[in-house]
Amino acid sequence: MTNTTRLTVAQALVRFLAQQWTERDGVEHRLIAGCVGIFGHGNVAGIGQALAEQGAGTHDPLPYYLARNEQAMVHTAAGYARQSDRLSTLACTSSIGPGATNMVTGAALATINRLPVLLLPGDLFATRVASPVLQELEDPRSYDVSVNDCLRPVSRFWDRVNRPEQLPAALLGAMRVLTDPAETGAVTLALPQDVQAEAYDWPEELFARRVWHVARPVPEPAALARAAELLRGSRRPLIVAGGGVKYSGACAELARFAGRHGVPVAETQAGKGAVPYDHPCAVGAIGHTGTRAADTLARETDLVIGIGTRYSDFTTASRTLFRQARFLNVNVAAFDAAKHAAETLVADAREALKALDDVDWRADPDWTSRAAELAAAWQAETDRFYGGTELTQPVVLGVLNEVAAGGVVVNAAGSMPGDLHRLWRASDPGQYHVEYGYSCMGYEIAGGLGVKLAAPEREVFVLVGDGSYLMMAQEIATAVQEGVKLVVVLVDNQGFASIGALSESVGALRLGTAYRKRGPSGRLDGERLPVDLAANAASLGADVLTAADPQTLRAALAKAVASPRTTVVYVETVPGPAPGAEAWWDVPVAEVSGLAEARAARERYDEAKRDQRPYL
C-alpha cells in the first residue's frame, strides 16, 4: 500500500515546491527559491495558510516576501530568474480579480524574455456554490471563464486545478516548462479558492526530492556539417551574441572562438557582456541602439552568426541592417533558430561553440583588423560622451560605470536603454541587466530587487527615469522591509524623453510627453509639475542623496555603496550630446497629414523602408 499524507491542496503545493531542484553540469540549484505575494480572499486561506504553517520565514525552504504590487512581484521573479541564468526563480501568488490581472504584464515580460516565473493566482469556487463571488468576471458564455484566462496567451504553460487529483499532473507539467531552456517563460497554475483549502490523501512520493536536469543539447552532425560549410565560405563573418550565450554559460567559449577565428562580436541588449568590452573582437551593441562599429560591420558582413538571440526589430534595425548576409543561427529553441531563413544549429550555445571551434577556418585578416579599428574609434567616442562637465545622461552613465565596477546595473525603458547599450562598458556577463524584450516601464526597481535576492554578494545599481519611477516605485518599501540593499539612481528629465524624441521624429510634436500642467493653450505645456521625487523616495524608507555635477554624483554613489541601506541618488539631468541611432527603426508615420512635420517624416519613412529585406 502506498503511504499517504493528508494535506490541503495548498499545503501539498508548498511542500512540493520546496523539494524541486535544477541541475546542470553537476551543480544543483533550488528551482523555486521563494514566494512573493499579496494575500486576499482568493489565496489567504489556502496558500497563505500553507506558507504560515511551514513557517514562511527567510530561512524556510520556501521563504515568503511581501510585495506591494502584483505586476512588480512578477518583475522581481523575472529579475531573479535572469540573474540566476534561468536555473532558479520565484513563485508569485495573488488573490482573484485585480490581483491576478495585475500579473498579466509581468507574465508577458517573462515569456517574451524567455524567463521562468511561476504564477499562482487564486480563482473562483470550483464548486460554484457561492457564485458570483467577489471579483468574479461572470462571462455569460461560460461559467468556466475567469479573469485568470487573461494569463493564457502570455503563459508558456497554463492550467486550472479544479480537483485535488489534478494537482500532481499540473505541478509536473509546470516544472517541465520552467526547466526547459527551449520552452520556458511564465507558467500559470490557477487555483480555485475552495480547492486550495480542500484536503486529500497524497502519496508520499509526490514530496520526494526531485532534481530536474537541464540538458545541453549537442549539435546534430548533419547540421554541424552544413554550418561548417557556411563558415568556410565566409570571409566577413559577424557574430550577434544574444542572451542565450549568457544563460548557457558559454561566454568563455565565445571569447575563445571569436579570438581564434578572428570574428567580430556584436551584442544584443540581452547579450551585452557576453564578451568583455575590451576583448580584441568586441565591437559593442548591434542594431537601432548599436554602435557605429557594429552597425557598419553589419552592413558589410557576408555571414551573420546569431548565437542565442531572438532577433528583435531593434537588433535587425527592422530588417534593414544586414544587407546581403546569410544567417547561421545557433539556438536551443528551434523557433528562434529558424528566423530569417537561416541555416539552423539547434543546440546549447556552449556545446555548439565548442563544436564550431574545431572547424579549420578563419575570417579574412583585413576584416578582423577593420573591426578592431572601428571598435577602438567607438571607445574613443565613448570617452568623449563620458567626459562632459555637466550632468547629461551620458555623463551620469560614465560616472556610474566607473563606480559600479563589479556591480550589476538594472534598467528597462526610456532613453537610457539606448545610451546604455551603446556606451556601457560591461566587464563580465552578470554586470549588465537591461530588460528590453518588453521594455516595461516600472520594471527597474522591482527587477533590481530580484537581482539582489539572487546575487546578494553584488552591488545592484537600479537606473530609473522619472517616468518609470512614477509608474512603479513602491518596491523600495519591500527592499527596506527585507533589508535588501539597492542603490537607485533616479534620473529626472521631466517626462518621457525617449518617446518625446520619437514623437517629434514622426510629426506628433511631442504631445503628452512632458510632465507639465495644462497651460493657456489648452495643451500640457504649462508650468513644471511640483512633484518631489526625492521626498517620495524618502517616504518609502530609503536614504536619499542628491547630485548636481559629476563630482557630487561620484561622491554620492560612493556613499551609497558604503551604506548598508537602500539609497536613492537623485539626479536632475540637463540636455546635452548623446549618441544617435546608427540604424533605422520601423515606426509607421501618418500617410497623410496637415502638419508639415508629419509630411516630412513620412518622406523619410518611405525612403528608409525601401531597404527592408523579407529574409526569405
Side-chain angles (χ1 to χ4, degrees), residues 41 99 110 149 158 178 209 233 305 339 341 360 392-394 441 445 495 530 535 555:
H41 70 284
D149 290 84
W158 188 101
L178 288 173
R209 190 176 191 273
I305 308 171
K339 290 176 178 175
D360 185 14
T392 62
Q393 188 161 282
M441 297 179 72
I445 294 171

Side-chain angles (χ1 to χ4, degrees), residues 86 241-250 270-271 307-309 331-332 348-350:
R86 306 192 298 194
V245 175
K246 296 199 286 187
Y247 298 141
S248 172
I307 307 176
T309 177
N331 207 295
V332 72
D348 172 77
R350 195 182 77 177

